[in-house]
Amino acid sequence: MSGRRQVVCAGLRRPASRWLAAVAMLAAALTLAACAPSPPKFLASDITGSSFGHDFSLPDASGKQRSLADFRGKVVVVFFGYTHCPDVCPTTLAELAETMKRLGNDASRVQVVFITVDPARDTPEVLSQYVPAFDKRFIALRGDADALAATAKDFKVIYQKQPGATPGSYTMDHSAGTYIYDPQGRLRLYVSYGQGPDVFTHDIKALLAG
C-alpha cells in the first residue's frame, strides 16, 4: 500500500516541478521586458517599415547630387512643394523653421530637405534664395521632369499643374505631407499638413533620443 502512495506522490511532484520551471521562465521574460526600452510614442503617423520613400537622388541648388546617405546620423525631414505656393509650402517651412529653434543644439542633427515639384519655375537661383530664407540650414533639391516623376512615385506624392490666367501664373496641386527619417536612414513618420511645430518637435526629439 505504501508503495502505491509513493508512486502517486511521485506523479504529483513532476507536474509541480514543470509548473515552477514555467513560472520561473515567465518571471525572467517579464523582467527582461521591463528592462528593455519602450518604443517611442509619436504624435504623427508611424509608418515604420513602409515599402515607399526608399531614397532620393537629386541635385541641390549648387548642382551637387544629394541622397539620404549624405545625411546619415541625422534626422531627415523631406517635404515636396514649390516656391510659388500660396499657403501650404510657406506654412510648412515656417513650422519647420520654428521647430529648429525649439530643438536648440539638437537642430544640428536635423536636415530639412525641400524637393520642388515645379522645376520649370524653381530654378537653382530661385531655390537658393527661397528655401534658406526660412532657415539657412534647409536645402532644396531640383530634378528634371523624369527625375522628379520617379522620386515622387517612390514617395507616393501626387502633383499636377493647374492653369492660371497667364502661362506663367499656374499653380501646382501636390501632396502636402512631410516625411521623416531616423538617423539610420529609415523612413519612420508621416506628418499631415497643419499639425504644427509641436508635433514636429516632439517626434524629432523622440527619434534623436532613440
Side-chain angles (χ1 to χ4, degrees):
M1 184 71 75
S2 62
R4 290 178 184 170
R5 281 199 296 274
Q6 288 175 359
V7 170
V8 172
C9 291
L12 289 172
R13 285 194 195 99
R14 290 194 189 98
S17 177
R18 286 196 290 269
W19 181 80
L20 289 172
V23 170
M25 290 177 65
L26 177 60
L30 291 174
T31 300
L32 288 173
C35 293
S38 57
K41 295 181 179 179
F42 299 117
L43 300 180
S45 299
D46 188 341
I47 56 172
T48 303
S50 297
S51 59
F52 58 89
H54 299 94
D55 200 351
F56 52 81
S57 182
L58 298 167
D60 63 19
S62 68
K64 182 178 179 179
Q65 202 75 10
R66 298 285 195 161
S67 68
L68 273 174
D70 295 328
F71 312 111
R72 188 59 57 90
K74 292 186 176 184
V75 166
V76 179
V77 182
V78 177
F79 176 71
F80 289 76
Y82 68 114
T83 63
H84 286 71
C85 180
D87 41 33
V88 172
C89 305
T91 297
T92 300
L93 288 170
E95 290 175 352
L96 289 170
E98 175 61 24
T99 298
M100 297 292 272
K101 291 179 182 177
R102 296 186 186 186
L103 289 172
N105 292 334
D106 282 339
S108 63
R109 301 167 59 198
V110 178
Q111 181 61 62
V112 173
V113 177
F114 177 90
I115 300 177
T116 180
V117 296
D118 185 18
R121 289 183 299 188
D122 289 347
T123 64
E125 293 75 22
V126 170
L127 290 171
S128 63
Q129 295 180 33
Y130 180 82
V131 175
F134 292 90
D135 188 294
K136 63 181 181 181
R137 293 163 292 194
F138 293 1
I139 67 168
L141 305 184
R142 174 187 180 272
D144 59 24
D146 290 340
L148 171 60
T151 304
K153 181 179 180 180
D154 185 45
F155 279 82
K156 298 186 182 298
V157 165
I158 298 172
Y159 61 100
Q160 185 176 7
K161 182 187 292 187
Q162 296 296 337
T166 62
S169 65
Y170 61 85
T171 58
M172 298 292 295
D173 290 343
H174 63 92
S175 303
T178 303
Y179 304 84
I180 303 182
Y181 294 78
D182 66 18
Q184 289 73 48
R186 299 172 299 192
L187 181 57
R188 300 294 301 278
L189 299 171
Y190 179 81
V191 186
S192 300
Y193 170 67
Q195 289 195 259
D198 288 345
V199 171
F200 281 119
T201 304
H202 176 277
D203 288 359
I204 289 173
K205 283 184 175 181
L207 289 175
L208 290 172

